[in-house]
Amino acid sequence: MTGGLFTFGETMGLVAADTIGPLAYAKGFSFGIGGAESNVAVGVARLGGESCWLGRVGPDATGTLIKGRLEAAGVRTIALADEAFTGLMVRHRRSGQFAHVDYHRSGSAGSRLTPADIPAHELREAGIVHVTGITPALSETCRSAVFQAVETAITAGVPVSIDINYRAKLWSRFDAAPVLRDLVALADIVFASPDEAALFVDADDLLGGLAKLGPAEVILKDGGHGCVAQINGERHTVPALPVTVVDPVGAGDAFVAGYLADRLAGATPGQCLTTAIATGAFAVTVPGDCEGAPDRAELIALTGGDLRR
């Protein structure tokens, strides 16, 4: 690929309760897929951009489903066959506001990713290489793959994007902080929630603290409060769009997809942020991780036509 998004990581099967309340009282379940990196790849593709996702999948129906779903969404998919099982997550919403996720991924195919799995030419030909803080938490080989990929992209002059995406169930704050800090110091574009940024920078100056580590584009995602950003030294603040929340899961990945899709298309920073806010808002109005990722026409409908590119 030339000029598009390249990303990699673990995508899992997703078992989700269809109703809100304790898991024991769920009346039915749906089965889909979910993974931060592939969610972003789907979001970029839906917005008209080129995207590629790479990851390991097992010799099972879940691995086949992941490949098929991503390809159907327009994502160029490099699904590497592995003898281990494809990971699973089980999610239910204890209330309308809080979601609970259990992971079944220790020793999974996705956790066995290695630096040798990622072709250097894919990194060199990409428009942006996007990674998350989830992949380095999965295993030592995954961590090595992330850092090697980032360094290869940097050497080739390809912008690197990272979404902190801290997962407390995967590693402690103590273990995560130095690794995430090192990744941010290498990146050109950084996405984080305020809590994630506070893992390793001063909470009194989150934007400035992240920017001092090196990235030119720092974006703080803050849910219903919108976002604030420091891009090439200029500060931006964009409020959230008022929408009815159906399912908050996947909003952060949709936000990232909106920003990166517009950046790949050559939009201004303000336009990238406006699209990011709109894609994040659209995501919470539909259930699922990436199934409801919007296209351009749907974003225009959501914003009443006020979406300037």
Side-chain angles (χ1 to χ4, degrees):
M1 68 185 294
T2 301
L5 179 82
F6 179 81
T7 189
F8 59 93
E10 181 173 36
T11 297
M12 297 172 286
L14 169 59
V15 181
D18 291 337
T19 54
I20 296 174
L23 187 63
Y25 298 101
K27 294 180 172 60
F29 296 85
S30 61
F31 189 70
I33 68 171
E37 299 85 4
S38 57
N39 290 347
V40 172
V42 169
V44 168
R46 288 273 173 84
L47 292 172
E50 293 184 25
S51 65
C52 177
W53 171 87
L54 179 149
R56 285 184 176 238
V57 298
D60 43 43
T62 303
T64 301
L65 177 67
I66 288 169
K67 186 174 187 295
R69 286 277 182 92
L70 294 180
E71 289 177 342
V75 176
R76 187 164 65 87
T77 304
I78 305 174
L80 305 174
D82 192 279
E83 62 185 15
F85 66 95
T86 305
L88 289 172
M89 52 181 164
V90 179
R91 186 172 72 219
H92 72 281
R93 293 175 63 191
R94 181 63 182 83
S95 69
Q97 195 172 8
F98 299 104
H100 180 87
V101 180
D102 292 318
Y103 295 112
H104 302 272
R105 67 199 308 178
S106 178
S108 67
S111 71
R112 290 154 57 99
L113 191 75
T114 72
D117 290 334
I118 304 174
H121 74 271
E122 294 283 357
L123 301 166
R124 297 188 187 110
E125 295 173 4
I128 293 174
V129 170
H130 177 68
V131 299
T132 77
I134 296 172
T135 306
L138 299 179
S139 67
E140 289 296 329
T141 61
C142 281
R143 188 175 306 177
S144 296
V146 170
F147 277 95
Q148 179 173 295
V150 167
E151 289 163 1
T152 299
I154 291 170
T155 300
V158 175
V160 172
S161 163
I162 177 171
D163 188 352
I164 297 300
N165 249 326
Y166 172 67
R167 295 290 185 268
K169 288 190 175 183
L170 296 179
W171 53 353
S172 70
R173 298 171 70 90
F174 177 81
D175 290 332
V179 176
L180 297 174
R181 181 186 176 93
D182 287 348
L183 280 175
V184 167
L186 294 170
D188 300 282
I189 309 164
V190 175
F191 301 92
S193 70
D195 286 345
E196 289 169 342
L199 284 170
F200 49 88
V201 299
D202 188 345
D204 292 330
D205 184 19
L206 297 175
L207 276 178
L210 289 172
K212 285 177 183 176
L213 292 175
E217 302 171 43
V218 175
I219 303 99
L220 286 179
K221 306 176 290 182
D222 201 8
H225 299 292
C227 71
V228 293
Q230 182 171 310
I231 300 175
N232 298 320
E234 183 178 354
R235 188 181 179 94
H236 301 260
T237 301
V238 184
L241 290 174
V243 293
T244 300
V245 177
V246 173
D247 183 359
V249 175
D253 298 332
F255 179 102
V256 171
Y259 185 94
L260 295 180
D262 264 22
R263 195 184 186 286
L264 285 165
T268 66
Q271 291 167 335
C272 293
L273 293 169
T274 298
T275 298
I277 285 289
T279 51
F282 194 98
V284 303
T285 66
V286 293
D289 272 38
C290 60
E291 294 84 351
D295 59 27
R296 293 285 180 184
E298 289 168 330
L299 284 189
I300 291 171
L302 175 69
T303 60
D306 186 20
L307 189 64
R308 300 176 181 84
R309 295 196 60 246

